[in-house]
Coordinates of all heavy atoms in Angstrom, one line a residue:
M24 N 24.6 89.7 179.6 CA 24.2 89.1 180.9 C 22.8 88.8 180.9 O 21.9 89.4 181.5 CB 24.6 90.2 181.9 CG 26.0 90.6 182.1 SD 27.0 89.2 182.7 CE 26.7 89.3 184.4
D25 N 22.5 87.7 180.2 CA 21.1 87.3 180.1 C 21.0 85.9 180.6 O 20.5 85.0 179.9 CB 20.6 87.4 178.7 CG 19.1 87.3 178.6 OD1 18.4 87.5 179.7 OD2 18.6 87.0 177.5
T26 N 21.4 85.7 181.8 CA 21.4 84.3 182.4 C 20.2 84.0 183.2 O 20.0 82.9 183.7 CB 22.6 84.1 183.3 OG1 22.6 85.1 184.3 CG2 23.9 84.2 182.5
A27 N 19.3 85.0 183.4 CA 18.1 84.9 184.2 C 17.2 83.8 183.7 O 16.5 83.1 184.4 CB 17.3 86.1 184.3
E28 N 17.2 83.5 182.4 CA 16.3 82.5 181.8 C 16.7 81.1 182.0 O 16.0 80.2 181.8 CB 16.2 82.8 180.3 CG 15.5 84.1 180.0 CD 15.3 84.3 178.5 OE1 16.0 83.5 177.7 OE2 14.6 85.2 178.0
E29 N 18.0 80.9 182.5 CA 18.5 79.6 182.7 C 17.8 78.8 183.8 O 17.6 77.6 183.8 CB 20.0 79.6 182.9 CG 20.7 79.9 181.6 CD 22.2 79.9 181.7 OE1 22.7 79.2 182.7 OE2 22.9 80.4 180.9
A30 N 17.5 79.5 184.9 CA 16.8 78.8 186.0 C 15.4 78.7 185.8 O 14.7 79.7 185.4 CB 17.1 79.7 187.3
D31 N 14.9 77.5 186.0 CA 13.4 77.3 185.9 C 12.7 77.7 187.1 O 13.1 77.3 188.2 CB 13.2 75.8 185.6 CG 13.8 75.3 184.3 OD1 13.9 76.1 183.4 OD2 14.1 74.1 184.2
I32 N 11.7 78.6 187.0 CA 11.0 79.1 188.2 C 9.5 78.8 188.0 O 9.0 78.7 186.9 CB 11.3 80.5 188.4 CG1 10.9 81.4 187.2 CG2 12.7 80.8 188.7 CD1 10.8 82.9 187.5
C33 N 8.9 78.8 189.2 CA 7.4 78.7 189.2 C 6.7 79.9 188.7 O 7.1 81.0 189.1 CB 7.0 78.3 190.6 SG 5.3 78.3 191.0
R34 N 5.7 79.7 187.9 CA 5.0 80.9 187.3 C 4.2 81.6 188.4 O 3.8 82.8 188.1 CB 4.1 80.5 186.1 CG 3.0 79.5 186.6 CD 2.5 78.8 185.4 NE 1.4 79.4 184.7 CZ 0.8 78.8 183.7 NH1 1.2 77.7 183.1 NH2 -0.3 79.4 183.1
V35 N 3.9 81.0 189.5 CA 3.1 81.5 190.5 C 4.0 82.3 191.5 O 3.8 83.5 191.8 CB 2.2 80.5 191.2 CG1 1.5 81.1 192.4 CG2 1.2 79.9 190.2
C36 N 4.9 81.6 192.1 CA 5.6 82.1 193.3 C 7.0 82.6 192.8 O 7.7 83.2 193.7 CB 5.7 81.2 194.4 SG 6.7 79.7 194.1
R37 N 7.4 82.4 191.6 CA 8.6 82.8 191.1 C 9.9 82.3 191.8 O 11.0 82.8 191.7 CB 8.7 84.4 191.1 CG 7.6 85.1 190.4 CD 7.8 85.1 188.9 NE 6.6 85.5 188.2 CZ 6.5 85.4 186.9 NH1 7.4 84.8 186.2 NH2 5.4 85.8 186.3
S38 N 9.8 81.1 192.5 CA 10.9 80.5 193.0 C 11.2 79.3 192.3 O 10.4 78.7 191.6 CB 10.7 80.3 194.5 OG 9.6 79.4 194.7
E39 N 12.5 78.8 192.5 CA 12.9 77.6 191.8 C 12.4 76.3 192.4 O 11.9 76.3 193.5 CB 14.5 77.5 191.8 CG 15.1 78.7 191.0 CD 16.6 78.7 191.1 OE1 17.2 77.6 191.2 OE2 17.2 79.8 191.1
G40 N 12.5 75.2 191.7 CA 12.1 73.9 192.2 C 13.2 73.4 193.1 O 14.4 73.8 193.1
T41 N 12.8 72.7 194.1 CA 13.7 72.0 195.1 C 13.3 70.5 195.1 O 12.2 70.1 194.6 CB 13.5 72.6 196.5 OG1 12.2 72.3 196.9 CG2 13.6 74.1 196.5
P42 N 14.2 69.7 195.7 CA 13.8 68.3 195.8 C 12.5 68.1 196.6 O 11.7 67.1 196.3 CB 15.0 67.7 196.7 CG 16.1 68.6 196.3 CD 15.5 70.0 196.2
E43 N 12.2 69.0 197.5 CA 10.9 68.9 198.3 C 9.8 69.4 197.5 O 8.6 68.9 197.6 CB 11.0 69.7 199.6 CG 12.0 69.2 200.6 CD 13.4 69.6 200.2 OE1 13.6 70.7 199.8 OE2 14.4 68.8 200.4
K44 N 10.0 70.5 196.7 CA 9.0 71.1 195.9 C 9.5 71.2 194.4 O 9.9 72.2 194.0 CB 8.7 72.5 196.4 CG 8.0 72.5 197.8 CD 7.9 74.0 198.3 CE 7.0 74.8 197.5 NZ 6.8 76.1 198.1
P45 N 9.4 70.0 193.7 CA 9.8 70.0 192.3 C 8.8 70.8 191.5 O 7.7 71.0 191.8 CB 9.8 68.5 192.0 CG 8.8 68.0 192.8 CD 8.9 68.7 194.1
L46 N 9.3 71.2 190.3 CA 8.5 72.0 189.4 C 7.8 71.0 188.4 O 8.5 70.1 187.9 CB 9.4 73.0 188.6 CG 9.9 74.1 189.4 CD1 10.9 75.0 188.7 CD2 8.7 75.1 189.8
Y47 N 6.6 71.3 188.1 CA 5.9 70.5 187.1 C 5.6 71.3 185.8 O 5.7 72.5 185.8 CB 4.5 70.0 187.7 CG 4.7 69.0 188.7 CD1 5.0 69.3 190.1 CD2 4.5 67.6 188.4 CE1 5.2 68.3 191.0 CE2 4.7 66.7 189.4 CZ 5.0 67.0 190.7 OH 5.2 66.1 191.6
H48 N 5.3 70.6 184.8 CA 5.0 71.2 183.5 C 3.7 70.6 183.0 O 3.6 69.8 182.2 CB 6.2 70.9 182.5 CG 6.0 71.4 181.1 ND1 6.5 70.9 180.0 CD2 5.2 72.5 180.7 CE1 6.1 71.5 178.9 NE2 5.3 72.5 179.3
P49 N 2.6 71.1 183.6 CA 1.3 70.5 183.5 C 0.5 70.9 182.2 O -0.5 70.3 181.9 CB 0.5 71.0 184.7 CG 1.1 72.4 184.9 CD 2.5 72.3 184.5
C50 N 1.0 71.9 181.4 CA 0.3 72.3 180.2 C 1.3 72.5 179.0 O 2.4 72.1 179.2 CB -0.5 73.5 180.5 SG 0.5 75.0 180.8
V51 N 0.8 73.1 178.0 CA 1.7 73.3 176.8 C 2.4 74.6 176.7 O 3.0 75.0 175.7 CB 1.0 72.8 175.5 CG1 0.5 71.4 175.5 CG2 -0.2 73.8 175.3
C52 N 2.3 75.4 177.8 CA 2.9 76.7 177.8 C 4.4 76.5 177.7 O 4.9 75.5 178.2 CB 2.6 77.5 179.0 SG 0.9 78.2 179.0
T53 N 5.1 77.5 177.1 CA 6.6 77.4 177.1 C 7.2 78.6 177.6 O 6.5 79.6 178.0 CB 7.1 77.2 175.6 OG1 6.5 78.3 174.9 CG2 6.6 75.9 175.0
G54 N 8.5 78.6 177.8 CA 9.2 79.8 178.3 C 9.1 79.9 179.8 O 9.0 78.9 180.5
S55 N 9.1 81.1 180.3 CA 9.2 81.4 181.7 C 7.9 81.0 182.5 O 8.0 80.9 183.7 CB 9.5 82.9 181.9 OG 8.4 83.7 181.4
I56 N 6.8 80.8 181.8 CA 5.6 80.3 182.5 C 5.3 78.9 182.3 O 4.2 78.4 182.7 CB 4.4 81.1 181.9 CG1 4.2 80.9 180.4 CG2 4.5 82.6 182.3 CD1 2.9 81.4 179.9
K57 N 6.3 78.2 181.9 CA 6.2 76.7 181.7 C 6.0 75.9 182.9 O 5.2 75.0 183.0 CB 7.4 76.3 180.9 CG 7.4 74.8 180.6 CD 8.7 74.5 179.7 CE 8.9 73.0 179.4 NZ 10.1 72.8 178.6
F58 N 6.7 76.3 184.0 CA 6.8 75.5 185.2 C 5.9 76.0 186.3 O 5.7 77.3 186.5 CB 8.2 75.3 185.7 CG 9.1 74.6 184.7 CD1 10.0 75.2 183.9 CD2 8.9 73.2 184.6 CE1 10.7 74.5 183.0 CE2 9.7 72.4 183.7 CZ 10.6 73.1 182.9
I59 N 5.5 75.1 187.1 CA 4.7 75.5 188.4 C 4.9 74.4 189.4 O 5.0 73.2 189.1 CB 3.2 75.7 188.0 CG1 2.4 76.3 189.2 CG2 2.6 74.4 187.6 CD1 1.0 76.7 188.7
H60 N 4.9 74.8 190.6 CA 5.0 73.9 191.7 C 3.6 73.1 191.8 O 2.6 73.7 191.6 CB 5.2 74.5 193.1 CG 6.6 75.1 193.2 ND1 6.8 76.5 193.4 CD2 7.8 74.5 193.2 CE1 8.1 76.7 193.5 NE2 8.7 75.5 193.4
Q61 N 3.6 71.9 192.2 CA 2.4 71.2 192.4 C 1.5 71.9 193.4 O 0.3 72.1 193.3 CB 2.6 69.7 192.9 CG 1.3 69.0 193.0 CD 1.6 67.5 193.4 OE1 2.7 67.0 193.3 NE2 0.6 66.8 193.8
E62 N 2.2 72.4 194.5 CA 1.5 73.1 195.6 C 0.8 74.4 195.0 O -0.4 74.7 195.4 CB 2.5 73.4 196.6 CG 1.9 74.0 197.9 CD 3.0 74.3 198.9 OE1 4.0 73.6 199.0 OE2 2.9 75.2 199.7
C63 N 1.6 75.0 194.2 CA 1.0 76.3 193.7 C -0.1 76.1 192.7 O -1.1 76.8 192.6 CB 2.1 77.1 193.0 SG 3.4 77.7 194.2
L64 N 0.0 75.0 191.9 CA -1.0 74.6 191.0 C -2.3 74.3 191.7 O -3.4 74.6 191.4 CB -0.5 73.5 190.1 CG -1.6 73.0 189.1 CD1 -2.1 74.1 188.2 CD2 -1.0 71.9 188.2
V65 N -2.2 73.5 192.8 CA -3.3 73.1 193.6 C -4.0 74.4 194.1 O -5.2 74.5 194.1 CB -2.9 72.2 194.7 CG1 -4.0 72.0 195.8 CG2 -2.5 70.8 194.2
Q66 N -3.3 75.3 194.7 CA -3.8 76.5 195.1 C -4.5 77.3 194.1 O -5.6 77.8 194.3 CB -2.7 77.4 195.8 CG -2.2 76.8 197.1 CD -3.3 76.7 198.1 OE1 -4.1 77.5 198.3 NE2 -3.2 75.6 198.9
W67 N -3.9 77.4 192.9 CA -4.5 78.1 191.8 C -5.7 77.5 191.3 O -6.7 78.1 191.0 CB -3.4 78.2 190.7 CG -3.9 79.1 189.5 CD1 -3.8 80.4 189.5 CD2 -4.6 78.7 188.3 NE1 -4.5 80.8 188.3 CE2 -4.9 79.8 187.6 CE3 -5.0 77.4 187.9 CZ2 -5.5 79.7 186.4 CZ3 -5.7 77.3 186.6 CH2 -6.0 78.5 186.0
L68 N -5.7 76.1 191.2 CA -7.0 75.4 190.8 C -8.1 75.7 191.8 O -9.3 75.8 191.4 CB -6.6 73.9 190.7 CG -5.7 73.6 189.5 CD1 -5.3 72.1 189.7 CD2 -6.5 73.7 188.2
K69 N -7.8 75.7 193.1 CA -8.8 75.9 194.1 C -9.4 77.3 194.0 O -10.6 77.5 194.1 CB -8.3 75.7 195.5 CG -8.1 74.2 195.9 CD -8.1 74.1 197.4 CE -6.7 74.3 198.0 NZ -6.7 73.9 199.4
H70 N -8.5 78.3 193.7 CA -8.9 79.7 193.6 C -9.7 79.9 192.3 O -10.8 80.5 192.4 CB -7.7 80.5 193.5 CG -7.4 81.3 194.7 ND1 -8.4 82.0 195.4 CD2 -6.3 81.5 195.4 CE1 -7.8 82.6 196.4 NE2 -6.6 82.3 196.5
S71 N -9.2 79.4 191.2 CA -9.8 79.8 189.9 C -11.0 78.9 189.6 O -11.8 79.2 188.8 CB -8.8 79.7 188.8 OG -8.4 78.3 188.7
R72 N -11.1 77.7 190.2 CA -12.0 76.7 189.9 C -12.0 76.3 188.4 O -13.0 76.0 187.8 CB -13.4 77.2 190.3 CG -13.5 77.4 191.8 CD -14.9 77.7 192.2 NE -15.0 77.8 193.6 CZ -15.1 76.7 194.4 NH1 -15.2 75.5 194.0 NH2 -15.2 76.9 195.8
K73 N -10.9 76.3 187.8 CA -10.7 76.0 186.4 C -9.9 74.7 186.4 O -9.1 74.3 187.3 CB -9.9 77.0 185.6 CG -10.7 78.3 185.4 CD -9.9 79.3 184.6 CE -10.7 80.5 184.3 NZ -10.1 81.7 184.5
E74 N -10.0 73.9 185.3 CA -9.3 72.7 185.1 C -8.3 72.8 183.9 O -7.7 71.8 183.5 CB -10.2 71.5 184.9 CG -11.1 71.3 186.1 CD -12.1 70.2 185.8 OE1 -12.6 70.1 184.7 OE2 -12.4 69.4 186.7
Y75 N -8.2 74.0 183.4 CA -7.3 74.2 182.2 C -6.5 75.4 182.4 O -6.9 76.3 183.2 CB -8.1 74.2 181.0 CG -9.2 75.3 181.0 CD1 -8.9 76.6 180.5 CD2 -10.5 75.0 181.4 CE1 -9.9 77.5 180.5 CE2 -11.5 75.9 181.4 CZ -11.2 77.2 181.0 OH -12.2 78.2 181.0
C76 N -5.5 75.5 181.6 CA -4.6 76.7 181.7 C -5.3 77.9 181.0 O -5.9 77.8 179.9 CB -3.3 76.4 180.9 SG -2.2 77.8 180.8
E77 N -5.3 79.0 181.7 CA -5.9 80.2 181.2 C -5.2 80.8 180.0 O -5.8 81.6 179.2 CB -6.1 81.2 182.2 CG -4.8 81.7 182.8 CD -4.9 82.7 183.9 OE1 -6.0 83.2 184.2 OE2 -3.9 82.9 184.7
L78 N -4.0 80.4 179.8 CA -3.1 80.9 178.7 C -3.2 80.1 177.4 O -3.4 80.6 176.4 CB -1.7 81.2 179.2 CG -1.6 82.1 180.3 CD1 -0.1 82.1 180.8 CD2 -1.9 83.6 179.9
C79 N -2.9 78.8 177.6 CA -2.9 78.0 176.4 C -4.1 77.1 176.3 O -4.2 76.4 175.3 CB -1.6 77.1 176.5 SG -1.7 75.8 177.8
K80 N -5.1 77.1 177.2 CA -6.3 76.4 177.2 C -6.1 74.9 177.3 O -7.1 74.2 177.0 CB -7.1 76.8 176.0 CG -7.3 78.3 175.8 CD -8.0 78.9 177.0 CE -8.2 80.4 176.7 NZ -8.6 81.2 177.9
H81 N -4.9 74.5 177.6 CA -4.7 73.1 177.7 C -5.2 72.6 179.1 O -5.0 73.2 180.1 CB -3.2 72.8 177.6 CG -2.8 71.4 177.7 ND1 -2.9 70.6 176.6 CD2 -2.3 70.6 178.7 CE1 -2.5 69.3 176.9 NE2 -2.2 69.4 178.2
R82 N -5.9 71.5 179.0 CA -6.5 70.9 180.2 C -5.3 70.3 181.0 O -4.5 69.5 180.5 CB -7.5 69.8 179.8 CG -8.3 69.4 181.0 CD -9.4 68.4 180.5 NE -10.2 67.9 181.6 CZ -11.3 68.5 182.0 NH1 -11.7 69.6 181.5 NH2 -12.0 68.0 183.1
F83 N -5.2 70.6 182.3 CA -4.0 70.2 183.1 C -4.0 68.7 183.2 O -5.0 68.1 183.4 CB -4.1 70.8 184.4 CG -3.7 72.2 184.5 CD1 -4.6 73.2 185.1 CD2 -2.5 72.7 183.9 CE1 -4.3 74.5 185.1 CE2 -2.2 74.1 184.0 CZ -3.1 75.0 184.6
A84 N -2.9 68.1 182.9 CA -2.7 66.7 183.0 C -2.7 66.2 184.5 O -3.0 65.2 184.8 CB -1.4 66.2 182.4
F85 N -2.4 67.3 185.3 CA -2.4 67.1 186.7 C -3.8 66.9 187.3 O -4.6 67.7 187.0 CB -1.7 68.2 187.3 CG -1.7 68.2 188.9 CD1 -0.9 67.4 189.6 CD2 -2.5 69.1 189.5 CE1 -0.8 67.4 190.9 CE2 -2.5 69.1 190.9 CZ -1.7 68.3 191.6
T86 N -4.1 66.0 188.1 CA -5.3 65.7 188.8 C -5.3 66.3 190.2 O -4.4 66.0 191.0 CB -5.7 64.3 188.9 OG1 -5.6 63.7 187.6 CG2 -7.1 64.1 189.4
P87 N -6.2 67.3 190.5 CA -6.1 68.0 191.8 C -6.6 67.2 192.9 O -7.5 67.6 193.7 CB -6.9 69.2 191.5 CG -7.9 68.8 190.5 CD -7.2 67.8 189.6
T88 N -6.1 66.0 193.1 CA -6.3 65.3 194.4 C -5.4 65.8 195.5 O -4.5 66.5 195.2 CB -6.1 63.8 194.2 OG1 -4.8 63.6 193.7 CG2 -7.1 63.2 193.3
C89 N -5.8 65.6 196.7 CA -5.0 66.1 197.8 C -3.6 65.5 197.7 O -3.4 64.3 197.5 CB -5.6 65.7 199.1 SG -4.7 66.3 200.5
W90 N -2.6 66.4 197.9 CA -1.2 66.0 197.9 C -0.6 65.9 199.3 O 0.5 65.4 199.5 CB -0.4 67.0 197.0 CG -0.6 68.4 197.5 CD1 -1.6 69.2 197.0 CD2 0.1 69.1 198.4 NE1 -1.5 70.4 197.7 CE2 -0.5 70.4 198.5 CE3 1.2 68.8 199.2 CZ2 -0.1 71.4 199.4 CZ3 1.6 69.8 200.2 CH2 1.0 71.0 200.2
C91 N -1.3 66.4 200.3 CA -0.7 66.4 201.7 C -1.2 65.2 202.4 O -0.6 64.7 203.4 CB -1.1 67.7 202.4 SG -2.7 67.8 203.0
G92 N -2.4 64.6 202.0 CA -2.9 63.4 202.6 C -3.5 63.6 204.0 O -4.0 62.7 204.6
T93 N -3.6 64.9 204.4 CA -4.3 65.2 205.7 C -5.5 66.1 205.6 O -6.4 65.9 206.4 CB -3.2 65.7 206.7 OG1 -2.7 66.9 206.1 CG2 -2.2 64.8 207.0
C94 N -5.4 67.1 204.8 CA -6.4 68.1 204.8 C -7.8 67.7 204.3 O -8.8 68.1 204.7 CB -6.0 69.4 204.0 SG -5.9 69.1 202.2
C95 N -7.8 66.8 203.3 CA -9.0 66.4 202.7 C -9.1 64.9 202.5 O -9.9 64.4 201.8 CB -9.2 67.1 201.4 SG -8.0 66.6 200.2
K96 N -8.2 64.1 203.2 CA -8.2 62.7 203.2 C -8.2 62.1 201.8 O -8.8 61.1 201.4 CB -9.5 62.2 203.8 CG -9.7 62.7 205.2 CD -8.6 62.4 206.2 CE -8.9 63.0 207.5 NZ -7.8 63.1 208.4
G97 N -7.4 62.8 200.9 CA -7.2 62.3 199.5 C -8.4 62.5 198.6 O -8.3 62.1 197.5
G98 N -9.4 63.2 198.9 CA -10.5 63.5 198.0 C -10.3 64.6 197.1 O -9.3 65.4 197.2
I99 N -11.1 64.7 196.0 CA -11.0 65.8 195.1 C -11.5 67.0 195.8 O -12.6 67.0 196.4 CB -11.8 65.5 193.9 CG1 -11.4 64.2 193.2 CG2 -11.8 66.7 192.9 CD1 -10.4 64.4 192.2
L100 N -10.8 68.1 195.8 CA -11.2 69.3 196.5 C -12.3 70.0 195.8 O -12.5 70.1 194.6 CB -10.0 70.3 196.5 CG -8.8 69.6 197.3 CD1 -7.6 70.6 197.2 CD2 -9.2 69.5 198.8
Ligands
ZN1 ZN1 5.4 78.0 193.2
ZN2 ZN1 -0.6 76.7 179.6

């Protein structure tokens, strides 16, 4: 009974991707930490002030511009 690995989940909030909140694969990590929501990645980037993955040291392909279009008028946070 090892089916838990089949569902792709976000490494931050541990929930699955949805049509509204798809999962991204912004670095070269593999396995259960491979995926992250864009929203969770933005929050993490704001918190950590890093531009690269702390685990694989890969610079995120994702650019942390505003995704909501309202909080920062599309500027870099
Ligand atoms: Zn998440
Ligand atoms: Zn990584």
Side-chain angles (χ1 to χ4, degrees):
M24 297 295 278
D25 192 19
T26 56
E28 291 180 349
E29 288 185 17
D31 297 330
I32 60 167
C33 172
R34 66 201 265 180
V35 174
C36 67
R37 303 282 171 193
S38 59
E39 295 177 32
T41 66
E43 297 80 38
K44 292 173 67 176
L46 289 169
Y47 288 82
H48 177 208
C50 68
V51 297
C52 286
T53 57
S55 62
I56 58 169
K57 178 175 175 179
F58 292 105
I59 189 169
H60 292 117
Q61 182 174 348
E62 186 179 333
C63 293
L64 178 57
V65 168
Q66 289 301 319
W67 185 83
L68 288 169
K69 278 202 283 188
H70 253 314
S71 66
R72 299 186 175 277
K73 289 183 176 131
E74 296 177 323
Y75 55 89
C76 177
E77 62 187 341
L78 296 172
C79 68
K80 310 301 182 191
H81 182 80
R82 196 176 176 85
F83 287 126
F85 172 78
T86 306
T88 52
C89 181
W90 51 272
C91 74
T93 56
C94 70
C95 64
K96 309 302 182 194
I99 304 272
L100 298 172

